[in-house]
Structure formats: structure tokens, C-alpha cells
Amino acid sequence: NVFVGAQAEVTAIVLDDDQQPLPGIPVLLTIAGSNQGSNVVYTDAAGHAVYKYRGTSAGSDMITATVATLSRTLMATAAKSWVRVLPTIEVDGPADATQFTSGTALVINGQAHAGRPEIPIASVTVNGFPVDTLDAAGNFFTRFTVPVGVTHLTFVATDVYGGTATTSIALTGVSSAVGAADHQSLVQATNFDG
């Protein structure tokens, strides 16, 4: 298996009837499957036609090497399986289910990690909108003002090949007036003389 985003190599070897290498022969390499394409590669002094390509989609590829001569057409096949490695994402702060006075201005921070080093994070969103800051190491920051009630925030990290990871937190905003009323009731209850 090859990871999506990595480079795969396929080598077609062209020999004559005496099993001697044939240099300078054009070889048509056709890829069918998840990462379709084609290219003509010429054999080197050893009769090798080396084709390198980067897979951008998970799944299977069937590579067909075709050599056409005046007297015949020769074909050989090879297969590559591509596996997607997904990124990960976590919110470092504030913690899920934290309660704040409504109107509190927060900076929410976290980290998005690439599934593999050669597949960087392209974006991080919160509820469908880009976070305020995303650095090359995957650290992200976004400002948020807590409204009254429960707010669910969904963070999505997306890598350059479309792989995603999701995490969510819920923050609760409590009205400062509600808090003051509760405090006043508590004061009255302690002064109650029965």
C-alpha cells in the first residue's frame, strides 16, 4: 500500500527476443482507477522505463505498460493500492461544557495534525468559517464571544487532498443578570428569620 500524497514508482522493462535491454523505446503507461492518467516514458540503457506519479485519491490503480513495434504490441500490468491517512484535530481550550458569563470574549485554541508530513493541513474551520489564525505547525486560534445559552462549535481540519477530521465543543453562556438574581435570592434566604 502507498499513502495518498506519496509518490509511487512503476518500472517497465523492455527486452528483445534474446533478453537484452532495448534503450530508447517509447512505453505508454496508462493508469486506470483512482488516479487516472497516462504518459509516455522512454527506456534507458538498461531497458527500464521508470514512471513516477503521486496519488491524490484512495483506492486501486491498474497501470498498463504498452510497447508497440512494427510486428507486435506488448502489454504488461501492475497494480498500486492507495490508502488515505486522515488528519486529527483537538481543541486545547477552553474545555468542552465550560460555562461563561455571556458576552465573555474568548480565544479558542487547538491543534490540527497532518496524517503524514507530506500531506499538510490546508484549512481549519469552525461552524463552516475559517479560524482567525492557522500556522504551518497546525496550531489554530479563533476569537469567540459567548452568547446566552449553549453554543455548539464544530471544528474541521482539512488536508491538501481533502481528508478531514472533526471535533466539537459546547460552551454555555449565562446572563450576568440571571447570576445577580440568583445571588440576591441567596442573600434574602440567609437573612430570612423564620
Side-chain angles (χ1 to χ4, degrees), residues 17 31 43 59 61 66-67 76 87 94 113 131 133 142 162 181:
D17 291 336
I31 303 168
T43 57
D61 290 341
T66 305
V67 175
H113 301 283
V131 294
T133 303
T142 198

Side-chain angles (χ1 to χ4, degrees), residues 4 56 84-87 119-123 156-165:
V4 169
T56 58
R84 179 173 302 285
V85 179
L86 297 176
I119 309 172
I121 299 296
S123 68
V156 178
T158 304
D159 67 30
V160 295
Y161 293 116
T164 62

Side-chain angles (χ1 to χ4, degrees), residues 57-127:
S57 299
S60 297
D61 290 341
M62 181 62 66
I63 303 101
T64 302
T66 305
V67 175
T69 65
L70 294 176
S71 60
R72 60 186 170 181
T73 298
L74 303 172
M75 297 175 76
T77 59
K80 294 285 182 190
S81 294
W82 297 89
V83 178
R84 179 173 302 285
V85 179
L86 297 176
T88 59
I89 187 169
E90 58 194 43
V91 173
D92 296 332
D96 185 32
T98 302
Q99 192 173 43
F100 296 93
T101 302
S102 63
T104 300
L106 303 174
V107 174
I108 301 171
N109 67 301
Q111 298 175 358
H113 301 283
R116 295 200 39 90
E118 64 271 15
I119 309 172
I121 299 296
S123 68
V124 174
T125 60
V126 56
N127 290 356

